Amino acid sequence: MIKKLMGSIREYKKDSILAPIYVTLEVVLEVLIPYLMSMIIDKGIGEGDMPFIIRIGLILIVSTLFSLGFGVLSGLHAAKASAGFAKNIRKDMYYNIQDFSFSNIDQFSTSSLITRLTTDITNVQNSYQMIIRIMVRAPLMLVFSLLMALSINSELGMVFLGAIPFLGFGLYLIMSQAFPIFQRVFRTYDKLNRVVQENLYGIRVVKSFVREEHETEKFKSVSKKIYTDFTKAEKILAFNSPLMQFTMYASILTLSLLGARMIVSGSMTTGQLMSLITYASQILMSLMMISMVFVMVTISRASAERIVEVLSEDSDLKNNSNPITVIPDGSVSFEQVDFSYTNDPKKLALKNVSFSVKSGETVGIIGGTGSAKTSLVHLIPRLYDATGGTVKVGGIDVRDYDMQTLRSEVAMVLQKNILFSGTIKDNLRWGNPAATDAELMTAARQAQADEFIQRLPDGYDTYIEEGGTNVSGGQRQRLCIARALVKQPKILILDDSTSAVDTRTDSLIRTAFKEEIPNTTKFIIAQRVSSVQDADKIIVMESGSVNGIGTHDELLATNTIYQEVYYSQTKGGKIADEA
């Protein structure tokens, strides 16, 4: 885990090294200060030597100023290193997520990834800053102060050797009890983010069903769980301060008692006792700082593990050693294809699917809920890999293509229509960043979107809100279709992408496809028979298998499922919802 995280330090290695160096210099000077003060008391004040007092006093002032300067420099470099470290982790995580296949994404919820990219990284950042500064300062201060104390009076120095194990054991007990609770808290944070995300995304549904109170109770329930667990963990950590205070004051009282006797007996000076008490404070403060770091590390350890899970997740879809970068045409064939989302041959979403499509043909796909229509088309641009059998595009196995090349030639309009914040032009250029305004308008006309775009106050420069909430469902679908057409792909896949448009507009879109992009292979998943009845061939899906393939007339004459769907719609029957 540590090795994986350290790979994100990169250009901030210099700052990560300089911070501990400056901290070391700061500690050395701080440890010398009590010794210099004891010299002033014993030799200067005790013997009335004013020149000695002035000389050592000047050295003391210079040491203090340099210690302050080194402390400031260490703080600056530690802050820069930790902020840069967090920036790189965030970038590495985000870049790795972009490479995830759909199956990788299925392993992480959106809310969990957001928590890892925000709260978890912040915890690790704070912890890293404390490690390269306080975790260096505290042990050095502890060791140097202990050595100085032993050099002054070895007998009294043994007080520290007794206090340190006692305190260390107490801290271990506290940390071992608190860590599991923090692990549970961060898992609950994922749930909290999910509740908030769902509420904000579905706020219109919440209000239309008057479920505000229900959503509030859901939020309160999760928030209370976080509060309860955090309170429990903090109660355990609260023992840290009393333990530190008890150890510190017990040590100082012991030193004062034994030291006073030694001063009376003449085996120790007042300045030496003062130095020992100062070193006692430094030693115990060092232990307190170490305990603070342990608290932060305890909290961030759970976060670090969650971050490394994302960083270590490798995409299960990779290019082979010599990928093909040219796709001959838009022909598609499935050869005895099996597919499972879990790679379990006993739990297949697709079973023994075989068919072939010539380049430029229009293929309709129809079937009931859960018949695996979407799963079928996901295999064409290699969003998933087939569990068995072969999917070919242009006569070549899709696994032999460079994935970027394959997906640039396959445009897919998914069931869930997503638009991004920005202008209509910005959204359409997702299909081709270099597309001209004329090409955007051509694609919009083919998708029957140009007419409503022109009616908007700013036309193609109209700003689209996040998720496309300021346009209707049908308009959003047409913009997504236009975005796909801007790519000028060899294969176009519409996954129930005209369900929100009226039948007339649906017909106009299909007519435009037939007349203006005749060489593009088109897959149209639909619930309405009218959307696919003019296709060159129609595939009927049932329970992950192909139930029938043919034209509208052929299927209407021979296929029971197709007949049921067709007659239920033509006679006003209820149309099954898309999966």
Side-chain angles (χ1 to χ4, degrees):
M1 179 179 74
I2 294 175
K3 184 179 179 181
K4 192 75 174 179
L5 287 175
M6 292 303 99
S8 297
I9 297 176
R10 295 197 288 278
E11 69 269 29
Y12 298 97
K13 286 181 181 178
K14 179 180 177 182
D15 294 293
S16 298
I17 294 171
L18 286 176
I21 290 175
Y22 285 128
V23 165
T24 303
L25 296 173
E26 178 190 12
V27 169
V28 169
L29 292 174
E30 281 193 28
V31 171
L32 286 176
I33 288 173
Y35 179 74
L36 294 173
M37 291 177 65
S38 69
M39 290 175 63
I40 292 176
I41 293 172
D42 291 339
K43 294 183 180 180
I45 298 174
E47 299 177 7
D49 188 348
M50 185 56 67
F52 180 82
I53 294 174
I54 294 173
R55 185 169 66 252
I56 300 301
L58 289 174
I59 295 174
L60 188 62
I61 292 171
V62 172
S63 298
T64 304
L65 291 175
F66 270 96
S67 178
L68 176 63
F70 289 138
V72 171
L73 288 172
S74 69
L76 290 174
H77 286 288
K80 185 176 180 182
S82 60
F85 178 51
K87 180 199 73 173
N88 285 345
I89 292 178
R90 194 173 291 110
K91 183 173 74 173
D92 292 344
M93 286 181 67
Y94 191 78
Y95 282 15
N96 201 44
I97 291 169
Q98 298 309 303
D99 290 333
F100 281 179
S101 67
F102 276 26
S103 58
N104 293 122
I105 294 172
D106 292 342
Q107 298 182 38
F108 300 96
S109 67
T110 302
S111 56
S112 177
L113 289 174
I114 291 173
T115 305
R116 295 170 203 237
L117 282 164
T118 52
T119 304
D120 287 335
I121 288 181
T122 300
N123 288 336
V124 170
Q125 175 183 344
N126 293 336
S127 180
Y128 184 67
Q129 183 172 4
M130 296 182 76
I131 287 171
I132 62 175
R133 192 177 182 205
I134 297 177
M135 200 60 177
V136 173
R137 173 187 171 84
L140 287 176
M141 181 71 77
L142 175 66
V143 172
F144 290 163
S145 297
L146 184 58
L147 290 175
M148 291 296 290
L150 290 171
S151 68
I152 292 172
N153 190 304
S154 58
E155 292 182 23
L156 290 183
M158 298 302 292
V159 173
F160 304 125
L161 294 180
I164 291 172
F166 170 77
L167 187 59
F169 180 70
L171 291 176
Y172 169 76
L173 290 178
I174 292 171
M175 296 305 113
S176 62
Q177 294 297 314
F179 177 69
I181 301 175
F182 283 118
Q183 281 186 311
R184 187 166 65 245
V185 165
F186 289 116
R187 287 194 295 269
T188 311
Y189 264 127
D190 292 345
K191 188 175 181 180
L192 179 70
N193 280 344
R194 184 169 66 249
V195 170
V196 174
Q197 182 184 354
E198 286 179 348
N199 179 266
L200 294 177
Y201 187 77
I203 192 67
R204 289 170 175 78
V205 178
V206 173
K207 290 186 176 298
S208 64
F209 281 87
V210 198
R211 297 286 283 176
E212 292 92 342
E213 187 173 336
H214 171 73
E215 289 296 308
T216 301
E217 288 302 318
K218 277 172 58 179
F219 180 85
K220 283 183 178 179
S221 175
V222 181
S223 183
K224 184 178 180 180
K225 193 173 189 317
I226 293 176
Y227 165 78
T228 302
D229 282 341
F230 251 124
T231 302
K232 186 176 180 180
E234 292 295 342
K235 283 180 179 178
I236 296 173
L237 293 178
F239 285 101
N240 180 55
S241 182
L243 179 65
M244 292 297 308
Q245 296 292 336
F246 172 78
T247 308
M248 178 183 292
Y249 292 129
S251 299
I252 291 174
L253 286 172
T254 304
L255 286 173
S256 299
L257 177 62
L258 299 177
R261 291 180 178 178
M262 289 183 176
I263 291 174
V264 171
S265 65
S267 60
M268 188 177 186
T269 66
T270 303
Q272 288 176 329
L273 179 60
M274 188 203 72
S275 297
L276 281 174
I277 293 175
T278 304
Y279 286 131
S281 298
Q282 289 182 341
I283 289 171
L284 296 172
M285 283 301 295
S286 298
L287 290 171
M288 183 174 288
M289 286 190 288
I290 290 174
S291 72
M292 288 171 54
V293 175
F294 279 147
V295 170
M296 193 65 230
V297 169
T298 300
I299 295 173
S300 65
R301 179 181 160 192
S303 294
E305 289 175 350
R306 288 156 52 83
I307 289 170
V308 170
E309 281 181 9
V310 178
L311 291 175
S312 300
E313 183 75 15
D314 290 326
S315 174
D316 54 9
L317 300 181
K318 295 184 181 296
N319 288 331
N320 59 30
S321 55
N322 294 298
I324 298 170
T325 56
V326 177
I327 297 179
D329 56 56
S331 61
V332 176
S333 65
F334 278 58
E335 299 175 0
Q336 298 179 323
V337 171
D338 293 334
F339 171 66
S340 169
Y341 284 101
T342 60
N343 286 322
D344 185 350
K346 296 181 180 179
K347 298 179 180 179
L348 295 176
L350 291 172
K351 300 181 283 288
N352 196 30
V353 174
S354 297
F355 64 86
S356 60
V357 178
K358 295 178 182 178
S359 182
E361 283 189 331
T362 298
V363 180
I365 303 177
I366 202 164
T369 300
S371 58
K373 302 182 293 298
T374 297
S375 300
L376 178 76
V377 295
H378 275 173
L379 301 182
I380 299 173
R382 205 185 170 197
L383 299 178
Y384 293 94
D385 267 343
T387 305
T390 306
V391 179
K392 293 183 178 180
V393 171
I396 301 170
D397 192 327
V398 292
R399 289 170 287 201
D400 293 332
Y401 283 116
D402 172 69
M403 280 192 290
Q404 186 172 348
T405 300
L406 175 65
R407 291 173 184 173
S408 66
E409 294 290 358
V410 180
M412 190 168 185
V413 184
L414 300 171
Q415 276 182 322
K416 191 175 181 180
N417 301 286
I418 298 294
L419 294 174
F420 298 88
S421 55
T423 65
I424 289 178
K425 284 183 179 179
D426 292 337
N427 274 276
L428 296 184
R429 284 198 171 102
W430 272 68
N432 177 10
T436 63
D437 288 354
E439 289 173 330
L440 299 182
M441 294 178 70
T442 298
R445 280 195 294 270
Q446 292 170 355
Q448 306 303 307
D450 179 70
E451 182 180 352
F452 84 79
I453 293 174
Q454 297 289 5
R455 291 199 304 267
L456 296 173
D458 297 318
Y460 283 81
D461 291 314
T462 299
Y463 189 82
I464 298 294
E465 300 292 342
E466 180 183 356
T469 55
N470 57 332
V471 293
S472 70
Q475 291 171 336
R476 191 159 54 244
Q477 283 189 336
R478 282 177 278 171
L479 287 173
C480 289
I481 293 171
R483 179 174 61 190
L485 292 172
V486 170
K487 291 178 69 173
Q488 299 180 357
K490 286 186 170 67
I491 300 172
L492 175 65
I493 300 172
L494 304 183
D495 188 357
D496 198 25
S497 303
T498 58
S499 58
V501 302
D502 58 85
T503 53
R504 176 179 174 276
T505 303
D506 184 14
S507 176
L508 291 173
I509 291 172
R510 286 184 281 109
T511 301
F513 287 173
K514 186 174 182 180
E515 295 176 354
E516 300 188 40
I517 52 171
N519 297 322
T520 298
T521 305
K522 296 165 283 289
F523 287 84
I524 302 174
I525 295 177
Q527 287 295 337
R528 293 191 296 238
V529 171
S530 60
S531 297
V532 299
Q533 65 182 18
D534 295 329
D536 297 304
K537 62 180 62 175
I538 301 170
I539 300 174
V540 180
M541 297 294 297
E542 182 186 23
S543 301
S545 299
V546 175
N547 180 269
I549 299 179
T551 63
H552 169 71
D553 292 335
E554 291 170 346
L555 292 172
L556 195 58
T558 60
N559 190 274
T560 304
I561 294 177
Y562 192 80
Q563 291 169 353
E564 290 176 356
V565 174
Y566 176 75
Y567 290 119
S568 68
Q569 294 177 19
T570 55
K571 295 180 180 181
K574 184 179 179 181
I575 301 175
D577 293 329
E578 179 58 53

